[in-house]
């Protein structure tokens, strides 16, 4: 996409409810753990509820290790997210496309439907406002199986089966950094200044999707 006149590559979080096919999309500069957390919280707010189970395709931001069959070592912070919302995560079998067809096939469809020709916006916030509007517009299309009704109509029924969303998960990625003699810390290839009273000390850096806290 083109943001502020500059061509950039984005990462797109894509959620899709299995029954209604209702989609939620949100763009981020990169695929980092704090952005995965933010995407989940925003999706649950958009849907107005939380499903009992969610299916994942083993991304490194979620899965630390893949074992035989469906056994996984999920990331500790990701499990905190799942426990907060009381969701059971289910990992797909590697190279088993039939287990996640509703999402995997949608990658090409959404790329063509939404990103051709190349999108141009002032910034990523404007892009995300547009994506949410497009999700609503796509919801007016006929349901792929129940063609007499729209996706939004089926979603209005499915929404009643979702559990109410809890308070928003505190979705940060944390690292410990040491403050240099120049009152600077290095985090994610950037430098940040901190009060000089912290020189030589270790500080906690909590990265959120849109800010950091030291």
């Amino acid at each position: 996409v083109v943001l502020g006149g500059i061509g950039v590559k984005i990462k797109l979080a894509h959620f899709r409810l299995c029954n209604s096919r209702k989609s939620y999309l949100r763009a981020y500069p990169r695929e980092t753990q704090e952005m995965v957390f933010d995407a989940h919280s925003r999706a649950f707010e958009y849907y107005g509820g939380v499903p009992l189970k969610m299916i994942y395709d083993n991304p490194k931001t979620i899965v630390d290790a893949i074992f035989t069959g469906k056994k996984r070592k999920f990331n500790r912070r990701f499990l905190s997210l799942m426990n907060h919302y009381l969701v059971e995560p289910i990992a797909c079998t590697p190279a088993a496309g039939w287990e996640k067809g509703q999402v995997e096939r949608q990658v090409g469809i959404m790329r063509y439907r939404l990103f051709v020709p190349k999108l141009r916006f002032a910034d990523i916030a404007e892009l995300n406002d547009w994506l949410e509007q497009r999700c609503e517009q796509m919801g007016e299309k006929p349901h792929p199986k129940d063609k007499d009704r729209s996706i939004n109509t089926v979603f209005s029924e499915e929404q009643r089966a979702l559990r109410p969303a809890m308070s928003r998960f505190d979705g940060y990625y944390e690292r410990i950094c040491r403050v240099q003699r120049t009152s600077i810390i290095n985090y994610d290839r950037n430098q940040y200044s901190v009060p000089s009273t912290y020189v030589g000390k270790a500080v906690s850096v909590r990265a959120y999707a849109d800010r950091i806290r030291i």
Side-chain angles (χ1 to χ4, degrees), residues 22-25 46 131-139:
K22 180 73 169 176
S23 288
Y24 175 74
L25 300 123
Y46 177 76
L131 284 172
E132 191 162 318
Q133 293 171 16
R134 291 292 286 129
C135 286
E136 284 304 301
Q137 292 169 3
M138 289 187 294

Side-chain angles (χ1 to χ4, degrees), residues 1-4 8-12 25-30 35 120-132 209-210:
V1 298
V2 177
L3 300 178
V8 297
K9 184 179 290 187
I10 60 164
K11 293 289 185 176
L12 200 66
L25 300 123
R26 189 165 184 87
Y28 294 93
R30 293 181 301 157
M35 292 176 184
R120 295 176 180 272
F121 293 97
D123 52 34
I124 201 164
E126 188 176 288
L127 166 60
N128 279 320
D129 288 342
W130 180 84
L131 284 172
E132 191 162 318
D210 56 358

Side-chain angles (χ1 to χ4, degrees), residues 65-98:
I66 300 175
F67 303 111
T68 305
K70 289 188 175 294
K71 291 184 178 180
R72 302 289 184 272
K73 179 184 178 183
F74 287 106
N75 179 273
R76 180 182 61 83
R77 280 289 290 160
F78 172 71
L79 287 179
S80 295
L81 170 77
M82 294 288 98
N83 291 336
H84 178 85
Y85 289 111
L86 301 178
V87 176
E88 179 187 353
I90 301 172
C92 292
T93 306
W98 61 88

